[in-house]
Amino acid sequence: MRRPLFRGFSKPQIYPPYFNKKSDFEKCLECETKACIKACEESIIFIENEVPIIKFGKNGCTFCDECANVCELDVLKIENKKEKLNCELIINPQKCMAWNQTICFSCQDVCIERAIDFYGMFNPVINEEKCTSCGFCIGVCPSNAIEVQIKGIK
């Protein structure tokens, strides 16, 4: 009898940006090496329910291709590379130091894509068109004001 596909897999997660469709992750059940974890230079890939997911902490995704390069079962492939992770980052004005009249540019300083615009000195907003949702801004925010909204995928 086949075991249930991804117990708890319906919970929204952030996935590495190299998959084609969610059902491809079924192959991860057969993977013994979990090489994608070791290949991630930023140490943000974790296995949950036998599937590679991204958890932001101090680092973010550089889109370096290494997890796709070592994927033995072709779940993660370079040709499936997306320009954005399956989430959206939002600055919570109630938590943000800048929105609360304290000079802080931590999120903007670390943003490689220059996707955080300040309107005046105290009103940062993430520009969705530029943002790749890499997550580097999350780890540097001193007030944990950057929140992640995970987008559903097929």
Side-chain angles (χ1 to χ4, degrees), residues 17-95:
Y18 300 96
F19 69 96
N20 184 28
K21 55 188 183 287
K22 192 173 173 180
S23 62
D24 291 344
F25 286 108
E26 280 186 54
K27 296 178 193 172
C28 293
L29 296 170
E30 300 166 21
C31 180
E32 292 181 20
T33 65
K34 310 297 185 198
C36 55
I37 296 173
K38 295 174 193 144
C40 181
E41 297 172 358
E42 299 298 328
S43 301
I44 60 169
I45 297 180
F46 296 85
I47 300 297
E48 196 163 290
N49 294 319
E50 300 186 57
V51 174
I53 63 166
I54 291 178
K55 290 185 181 183
F56 296 125
K58 294 183 181 185
N59 298 325
C61 182
T62 62
F63 298 83
C64 70
D65 304 340
E66 289 307 310
C67 60
N69 286 335
V70 299
C71 182
E72 300 162 0
L73 301 175
D74 289 332
V75 174
L76 305 177
K77 295 197 245 181
I78 300 290
E79 56 265 24
N80 294 331
K81 186 174 185 175
K82 294 161 182 51
E83 294 183 18
K84 184 173 180 144
L85 296 176
N86 66 301
C87 63
E88 185 176 331
L89 305 181
I90 299 168
I91 297 173
N92 181 333
Q94 293 176 329
K95 292 180 179 180

